[in-house]
Amino acid sequence: ILLGENRATTDSLTKLPNLRSFTDRVEAEQRILKHSGGKGYVGFLDLDDLKGANTRLGHEGGDELIITTAKAMQDAVDEALAQANQSGNRVNIFVGRKGGDEFLLFIGTTNRDIVTTLTSRMISLIPERVRQNPKLPEDKLGRPQTLSMGMTTISPGSNIEAVIKKADDAVYKAKALGKNQVVFHQQKAKP
């Protein structure tokens, strides 16, 4: 039974939490934020031009690219958590895989610098790790592999699907602005 439960919460390719597990964890974090008065951020991360990379590398190469990306994101999260703990900041950060080349990120902190540092680190770490992976030759990739990211805030009681949609909208803006960057969702002013 434990193995079945693991499959129900973990993405089989990347070993990251799957969408269901990610949203369950975010909902638990929302309860903590409600009691602590903290702040949360949700990110939607999308590999740039995975379809082209899949064409050039084949399906196995595309899977390797997704695995490499997931490991790099988890390493960036681990670095950020270690730095935050050293400085005494209360922070909770985790990533999950939505599916395909789409990933999700949760950052629970009142320190916006942690958010900026982590998202910048992810943007720079992905191409670095892909370059270092001998199973992903740059001549077959055609260009450095990059990542676009959309971020938005989340409050206690927010609908998680609506929050993910806002972050997804910000990813489209990041891609329209040239890819390989982080864009924060802008709230529309109410009349």
Side-chain angles (χ1 to χ4, degrees):
I1 279 186
L2 190 57
L3 181 62
E5 286 178 25
N6 190 39
R7 277 194 212 130
T9 60
T10 305
D11 175 71
S12 62
L13 182 63
T14 63
K15 309 303 182 236
L16 292 175
N18 62 19
L19 177 60
R20 180 176 139 196
S21 178
F22 179 87
T23 56
D24 287 348
R25 288 181 70 182
V26 170
E27 287 170 357
E29 283 296 317
Q30 285 179 292
R31 290 188 290 277
I32 293 168
L33 294 174
K34 183 177 181 179
H35 294 294
S36 70
K39 192 170 191 176
Y41 298 85
V42 170
F44 194 107
L45 300 77
D46 190 10
L47 284 170
D48 295 326
D49 191 34
L50 180 66
K51 186 177 180 181
N54 259 339
T55 300
R56 291 184 292 277
L57 295 169
H59 183 70
E60 285 181 12
D63 283 353
E64 184 65 28
L65 183 56
I66 289 168
I67 292 166
T68 300
T69 298
K71 287 179 182 174
M73 287 190 300
Q74 187 60 57
D75 288 347
V77 165
D78 292 344
E79 287 174 18
L81 286 169
Q83 289 171 355
N85 288 336
Q86 280 183 333
S87 61
N89 288 310
R90 190 256 176 229
V91 63
N92 193 7
I93 309 169
F94 51 89
V95 290
R97 183 171 180 217
K98 186 174 187 292
D101 62 341
E102 298 173 337
F103 298 87
L104 298 166
L105 169 68
F106 175 83
I107 308 171
T109 183
T110 56
N111 187 335
R112 176 81 182 247
D113 290 341
I114 291 172
V115 176
T116 303
T117 300
L118 174 59
T119 56
S120 296
R121 179 68 176 137
M122 283 185 172
I123 291 290
S124 67
L125 190 58
I126 303 303
E128 179 184 316
R129 290 292 177 81
V130 169
R131 251 191 329 274
Q132 293 170 352
N133 187 331
K135 295 179 184 176
L136 299 170
E138 197 166 339
D139 63 325
K140 283 196 175 181
L141 277 171
R143 62 177 187 78
Q145 183 59 52
T146 57
L147 175 81
S148 295
M149 189 180 313
M151 296 293 297
T152 191
T153 57
I154 185 168
S155 304
S158 295
N159 177 291
I160 184 64
E161 288 82 13
V163 170
I164 290 172
K165 173 73 172 104
K166 287 178 185 178
D168 187 22
D169 291 345
V171 165
Y172 280 102
K173 186 165 187 176
K175 288 182 178 288
L177 292 171
K179 304 179 182 177
N180 195 33
Q181 60 188 297
V182 181
V183 170
F184 280 81
H185 179 267
Q186 300 298 316
Q187 302 291 345
K188 293 181 180 162
K190 294 181 181 177

